[in-house]
Amino acid sequence: MSNERNVVVAIFVATVVVWILFDFEFYAFFSTFFNGYPGNYTASLTPPFMATGVAAAFFTIALLVYPVWTKGVRESGVDFK
Amino acid sequence: MVDLSVALSVILLIIFLTFYYILNRKSEIGGAAETAGYENPKQFMRDTLGSRPRLLSVSAFLNDDAKSIGIRYLIASIFFFFIAGTFGLTMRLNLTVPNPYLLSPDEYNVLLSEHATLMIYMWAVGSAFAFAYYLLPSHLKVARDTRGTYSSAGFWLWFLGGVLIIYSRTAGRWYFYPPLSLQLGPNQAGLLEWLAVIGLEMVFLGVMITSIVVILMIWKDRGPEVKWTNMSIFSWSVLFTALMIVFSAPPLMVGLGMLFYDYFNPIFFTGPTHQVLLFTILFWFWGHPIVYVAVLPYFGLIYEIIPRFTGKPIYSYGSAVIGLGLLLLLSEVVWGHHLLNSGLGIYWDLFFSITSFAVVVPSAITVFNFVASLWSADKIRITTPMLFVINGIVDFIIGGVTGVMQVNQGVNQLVHGTYFVTGHFHFIFMGITTGISFAAFYMIFPTISNGRTYNVFLARLHFYFTAIGSLIMAGAWTLGGLVGMPRAVAGYLPIFQTYQDVSIFGGIIIGIGQLIFLYNIATSWLKHPTLGLENALEMVPAAEVAGSGGR
Amino acid sequence: MKDKIRKELIFISAVVAILVGSAILNAALISDISSSVAQENGSIPAGAYVIHVTGSQWVWTFTYPNGTVTHDFLSVPVNTTIALIVNSTDVIHDLYIPQMDIQAYAVPGNNNTVVFRPSGTGSYFFECVEYCGEYHYKMTGTLQVVA
């Protein structure tokens, strides 16, 4: 149980890092891409939102992949049932 | 184009000849039924066949019991999947250079429209009904199957509608926006555009009949031991899908009727007193729910597949059903987000952005349930169907998140109408609709092939090609859309060359994967049967999969 | 069993919290850029440089206040509020200027208004992003922002 909790916490910490990275990433991308109003409003307001999206996807995919990675066994027997 | 139409006419002829063969056979069965004391020969056939497994063979087209209808839908939807897939790949190949070189813009637009229409109505809806008809009689322990005639009529309407859509060479995209779809003339590809409207109306009639039959099957025909509280989650998902179709198809059926009238007497969507945006509203009232039709039954299949490879029940049966039910309700109120920039105003945008944020909640409940089911397992057997399921969930998460991003008005104005949208829904359609269909197909393959098994290595190869190919293709589109690459174009500005090339590479990988699938099925069919006829998805009793919510 | 529901509730409340935050952010953004959201007969800010845009198969026509007409080419002064009144003569088009972050459907019979204000000189592209028939892909053009 505590191991599982540690894994979730570790994934969450990684998610925060991803969020920060993508916040800067989207901010850099939008502020160079847009060159006028309303683009500059989008560039200043939406990077946290977009980064939350990427981070949420990262968090959920990591949660999904972790049990598959640790508990997954490849059997050579029957494949379909 | 001429060759294509000749080929299609031949196909049409074959279909009609088969139909006459059925009529012929019917009279033979009538004799046998009379001897057995049946007044209705079809009921005699259905009772004789029971809910036993059915083979993937042409004989399914001659019987109208539920499982045979399922096999019919399976054969037909895979047939249309390969046609539409070829169209899609041809489009990709035409985009290797910025200016169209392989096809004329007209031909490209025809392929574009047909790819979309066939994939949605014939593949996504068709394969959902295939598994519904095939699996439900077993899941629900249906004792007597009384509506075969209606199912059969629904199937043929749907099938002939699809053939007419191909034949019409429509270039109106899958949304048939007037006035574009009303433009006739040899220089626009819409010479037979009205035929596509008729075909689509036939598809709708077929799908409506089928949905009502499925609802009645779940509601009335359940065996006495199957209660609402222990019905399989797949049955719930099919029930919600069928209800969604019945709720939201009528507006577009009416809209298509008005559109058809406009070909002869333009009064509704073109002409002096027209209102152009009216059709788009009618369209999206159906057009948004249909994309949930393409995921809901497959969520049900994921819920059925996971317990069979983890050996543990689904994390929460209740929240699974509630999540799917909320998806049904909320997906009915988000359709306006397809028209955020059409001039309907900021309050329209505000309302539909809030409902679109709300529809994420049931999707999150569903994904949480999948993930938690995997966490609560002791071991997860990584088989080909399970790989498809895991990849499907990953693709759904990516596709879902890129979908929610578009709800933001600032982002929407950047990505609406670009390849970002194409990438978003191809993630979901490739991962969920296509991937889960293949997963379920592999699971029932020993049954429908009379006890043969597929080559596991080739099946894995098929999985990796499909998964990696769609990730590359849809990923390149998503990134390209973010810098303004417009979708639905026969040519493009040279600055988008890289994104197009990468997605072509991905598309070719997917194409090779599907050829591997065909080769695998063909060679497996030539082997001698070695297995029993049971498969886990259809026949393993609930107790053995630790109560995945009853069967 | 209670533990299960608790975990599920934690996840769902986190999702709901993120969504509520996103919805508030979106509402704030819409109110900030409300004049740049396409709206039929929307209000035009005072002193705006008004350009009539007509989409037709398959060319964009721009009519400037002084009567000049250009095709597939739009030249506007920098740091000026520009109002586009977008219309169509035949089918539905969609004027899309990615680097300004604006987009408006060109609907026959409707006048959709959208406002933007370029802040840097240079050459940008615009496109039609609503499929409009055979040569839809050729409905692109250049936006020139001049000092």
Side-chain angles (χ1 to χ4, degrees), chain B residues 171 183 315 319 413-414 416, chain C residues 4 8 57 96 101 103 131:
Chain B
Q183 283 184 340
Y315 184 76
S319 83
Q413 285 178 201
L414 174 64
H416 177 93
Chain C
K4 270 188 171 181
E8 189 145 11
Q57 286 173 325
Y96 169 51
D101 196 18
Q103 120 161 209
Y131 171 74

Side-chain angles (χ1 to χ4, degrees), chain A residues 12 15 20 27 29 41 48 59 61 76:
Chain A
F12 186 76
T15 304
I20 293 168
Y27 188 76
F29 166 66
Y41 272 83
F59 182 72
I61 290 173
S76 51

Side-chain angles (χ1 to χ4, degrees), chain B residues 10-20 156 159-160 163:
Chain B
V10 171
I11 292 170
L12 209 61
L13 193 68
I14 292 170
I15 292 162
F16 277 115
L17 287 177
T18 319
F19 198 68
Y20 284 115
W156 285 113
F159 186 86
L160 289 178
V163 173

